[in-house]
Amino acid sequence: LGVRRMAERHAIVRRLHAVETLGSTTFICTDKTGTLTRNEMAVRRILVGIDAASVTAEPRVQPDTQAPFAADLELLLTMAASNNDTHVGPDGVLLGDPTETALLAAAQTLSADGPRPQRVDELPFDSQRKRMTTVHDVDGVRVAFTKGGADVVLALCTRALVRGQTVALDDDLRARIHTSNAEFADAGFRTLAFATRELGEGGWGGAGALAGADGASAAVSPVLDPALVERDLTYVGILGLVDPPRAEVPAALAECRRAGIRVAMITGDHALTARAIARDIGLLGEGGSRRVIDGPELGAMSDEDLAAAVCDTRVYARVNPEHKLRIVEALKRSGEIVAMTGDGVNDAPALKRADIGVAMGRVGTDVARDASDLVLADDDFATIVHAVELGRVVYDNLRKVILFLLSCNMSEVLVVFLTALFSPSTALLPLQLLWINLVTDGLPALALGVDPSDPGVMDRPPRDASKSILSAGRQLQVAWQGLVMTATVLGLYYFVAPHIPGTTASEARTMLFSALVLTQLLHAFDFRRASATVWHPSSLKNRWLVLSLCGSMALQAAIIYVPALSEVFKTAPLTGVQWAAVIGSGLLAVVVIDASKLFVHHQRFPRGARS
């Protein structure tokens, strides 16, 4: 039932234990792009050489200065469109990675849109190099286009294209470009730098960009060597992309704080970009005081240092999949129940190591989904929070059903034992006991299994996963409630029924039978809320529980008043006075149990704290 309800909220459970574990989650590590943000990227800032410009909604380029850079901008946009794996689908729809589709869309709308140079080779992006290089044939000359983070690409550059001139990339110019990139990132833009290099004319020539066993094999089956291609590059410019946060994320994060769940964002973006996004969605808290760790800093930390910092860190920037695994392990060593999101092949180890591995359904790979416990059909962070809420509800309902069944069965066992001990025979017949277990216990138990969530289910801290569902206090609750129901129905049988004029032995047995049925049906309402009585309006919110009460009592009346059924179950019709005694017995048990429940609750929460 819980799995079905989660699926209706776009959370697909792949392993059943995840339903219970979700309810005890204490820490969520989430990706940024597409999970916290809408994954609808668009280029909004441009740095051509050292000259910045904005992209307006029309769209058109609005320079910050009057410096001439039109030709350099055209080259930058050509590189953005060429170093790109986006495909143009039917009706001109762009299909591919959202970052690359945004780059191609900007190139199509802002440039002259001339023919793109033919791609002849490539070095795909990977998490270690953090860049992508494509090789193109430009008028018979092999030219490499490289894109990646500004800190990565600039480290490979020795020259820069500035206002139509190729100049040496000295320290002052490098610092100026880094400053502009930091300003973009601090404003919340994801930045990508572009650089180029000529490899040779009419083929590979003597560019030294190939690696092979010998000259002949290299000529027949050339293999690009990143160390040779991605060096001595010429910096061209930087594009700043914006990816708006999902509208529902701030509320979801606030709900996590109320529920005692901490959240950390893990991204490959620049630390300033990550901080800006985290600040906008409210992840960093008041004043943005939480710690931000980037990949190089994390890589230099020992396991002990990371374990000391991980619980107070809310943003990880410039990370790779290996860092994700270290973060998960550090959190688990600190006693956290961790949910980790991922979508790539390399995220699989972290997803497997986490208590709850969460894969993306839209952009996730098959490997990531196979390694996960939960798949988000909509890739939305808020769906994780909904799943945690439903996990708590499922656990609560499991506990309600178990406590209800155990306390009811204890009362049945005690009734059979005590009547056999103090009477010539047991008061309840085997068929009547079977009826109680199948109908009276069964229908309310199923109804409790779909019980709606309490209003405060996300206003309490995560439960301790190491504690048993049947703690010592819960065992005492089962025993006490079973004894109360036993005492009231036996009191009816031994002390009330004999004093009702005309009551036969068969009628007394039917009174005991009916009282036990009614008492257990009413007892199911005791589990709706720990801090409310059966008479609270919230008891009626579970319509299935109300229907189970009505249906079970109708069936009980049928086996008393339908002659054929009455003969089978050995029951006798009851008078109005006898029914009043039965109802009084059931109500007395409920009142006593309610009083004890409220007393225990107020002892635990003397100031009216939520249960």
Side-chain angles (χ1 to χ4, degrees), residues 198-273:
E198 290 188 7
L199 300 178
E201 296 184 0
W204 301 108
L210 303 179
D214 51 44
S217 62
V220 173
S221 179
V223 179
L224 287 181
D225 184 349
L228 299 177
V229 175
E230 297 172 337
R231 63 179 178 85
D232 297 328
L233 303 180
T234 299
Y235 157 81
V236 177
I238 294 174
L239 297 180
L241 300 94
V242 64
D243 185 10
R246 290 180 181 266
E248 62 273 17
V249 165
L253 289 171
E255 191 170 15
C256 285
R257 283 192 290 273
R258 292 198 309 272
I261 301 170
R262 287 169 286 183
V263 180
M265 180 176 76
I266 301 178
T267 178
D269 288 351
H270 192 284
L272 293 175
T273 304

Side-chain angles (χ1 to χ4, degrees), residues 45-289:
R45 289 287 283 168
I46 298 176
L47 185 70
V48 185
I50 57 174
D51 300 303
S54 298
V55 178
T56 61
E58 283 75 10
R60 63 186 181 87
V61 177
Q62 181 65 48
D64 292 357
T65 66
Q66 297 301 315
F69 58 74
D72 297 351
L73 174 60
E74 190 67 27
L75 172 60
L76 178 59
L77 294 173
T78 298
M79 296 171 66
S82 302
N83 187 316
N84 200 309
D85 289 331
T86 299
H87 300 285
V88 181
D91 302 323
V93 177
L94 301 180
L95 305 174
D97 178 81
T99 301
E100 295 199 329
T101 58
L103 295 176
L104 183 57
Q108 290 178 339
T109 55
L110 300 176
S111 73
D113 198 23
R116 306 298 176 198
Q118 179 185 3
R119 183 189 298 190
V120 296
D121 214 331
E122 68 176 306
L123 288 167
F125 176 88
D126 67 54
S127 58
Q128 298 299 322
R129 291 168 40 253
K130 295 185 181 297
R131 56 188 178 270
M132 172 182 178
T133 296
T134 54
V135 179
H136 302 265
D137 188 335
V138 182
D139 299 328
V141 178
R142 295 292 200 259
V143 179
F145 295 157
T146 298
K147 77 176 177 191
D151 52 342
V152 174
V153 172
L154 284 173
L156 304 172
C157 294
T158 57
R159 292 178 297 277
L161 183 63
V162 178
R163 297 173 183 174
Q165 301 293 322
T166 300
V167 300
L169 186 59
D170 57 26
D171 291 341
D172 291 340
L173 182 56
R174 192 183 297 271
R176 187 171 177 179
I177 296 170
H178 275 297
T179 298
S180 297
N181 179 72
E183 290 173 354
F184 283 12
D186 196 41
F189 293 99
R190 181 183 182 185
T191 60
L192 287 173
F194 290 82
T196 184
R197 177 189 175 209
E198 290 188 7
L199 300 178
E201 296 184 0
W204 301 108
L210 303 179
D214 51 44
S217 62
V220 173
S221 179
V223 179
L224 287 181
D225 184 349
L228 299 177
V229 175
E230 297 172 337
R231 63 179 178 85
D232 297 328
L233 303 180
T234 299
Y235 157 81
V236 177
I238 294 174
L239 297 180
L241 300 94
V242 64
D243 185 10
R246 290 180 181 266
E248 62 273 17
V249 165
L253 289 171
E255 191 170 15
C256 285
R257 283 192 290 273
R258 292 198 309 272
I261 301 170
R262 287 169 286 183
V263 180
M265 180 176 76
I266 301 178
T267 178
D269 288 351
H270 192 284
L272 293 175
T273 304
R275 182 187 290 275
I277 296 295
R279 186 173 57 241
D280 289 345
I281 62 178
L283 179 59
L284 288 179
E286 293 294 329
S289 57

Side-chain angles (χ1 to χ4, degrees), residues 213-437:
D214 51 44
S217 62
V220 173
S221 179
V223 179
L224 287 181
D225 184 349
L228 299 177
V229 175
E230 297 172 337
R231 63 179 178 85
D232 297 328
L233 303 180
T234 299
Y235 157 81
V236 177
I238 294 174
L239 297 180
L241 300 94
V242 64
D243 185 10
R246 290 180 181 266
E248 62 273 17
V249 165
L253 289 171
E255 191 170 15
C256 285
R257 283 192 290 273
R258 292 198 309 272
I261 301 170
R262 287 169 286 183
V263 180
M265 180 176 76
I266 301 178
T267 178
D269 288 351
H270 192 284
L272 293 175
T273 304
R275 182 187 290 275
I277 296 295
R279 186 173 57 241
D280 289 345
I281 62 178
L283 179 59
L284 288 179
E286 293 294 329
S289 57
R290 294 291 186 180
R291 185 172 181 180
V292 177
I293 296 179
D294 62 16
E297 181 184 358
L298 193 155
M301 297 174 73
S302 66
D303 290 342
E304 292 75 17
D305 292 339
L306 181 59
V310 73
C311 291
D312 196 47
T313 301
R314 295 295 176 266
V315 177
Y316 297 90
R318 287 292 187 212
V319 299
N320 57 43
E322 290 76 12
H323 292 151
K324 276 190 171 184
L325 183 58
R326 288 195 65 198
I327 292 169
V328 168
E329 291 176 339
L331 286 169
K332 294 191 71 170
R333 283 196 298 271
S334 299
E336 305 287 348
I337 305 297
V338 187
M340 169 67 78
T341 70
D343 54 21
V345 173
N346 294 329
D347 290 333
L351 294 177
K352 281 185 173 293
R353 185 72 180 95
D355 297 286
I356 297 290
V358 183
M360 302 297 109
R362 290 182 177 175
V363 301
T365 61
D366 290 339
V367 173
R369 285 192 286 268
D370 288 342
S372 68
D373 304 293
L374 188 74
V375 177
L376 302 184
D378 56 2
D379 295 1
D380 190 349
F381 174 79
T383 301
I384 304 176
V385 182
H386 292 322
V388 170
E389 178 183 0
L390 289 174
R392 291 187 175 192
V393 173
V394 167
Y395 184 85
D396 288 348
N397 289 348
L398 281 172
R399 184 174 58 194
K400 292 174 185 178
V401 170
I402 290 172
L403 295 177
F404 168 71
L405 291 176
L406 288 179
S407 57
C408 289
N409 278 274
M410 171 168 278
S411 67
E412 294 166 24
V413 169
L414 288 175
V415 166
V416 171
F417 174 74
L418 293 175
T419 55
L421 187 64
F422 296 106
S423 303
S425 62
T426 59
L428 293 177
L429 302 177
L431 189 59
Q432 294 173 343
L433 283 172
L434 182 61
W435 174 261
I436 293 174
N437 277 275

Side-chain angles (χ1 to χ4, degrees), residues 14-31:
R14 298 189 66 255
R15 294 178 175 85
L16 198 60
H17 76 86
V19 179
E20 180 183 345
T21 309
L22 276 166
S24 57
T25 299
T26 63
F27 212 107
I28 300 175
C29 296
T30 175
D31 293 330

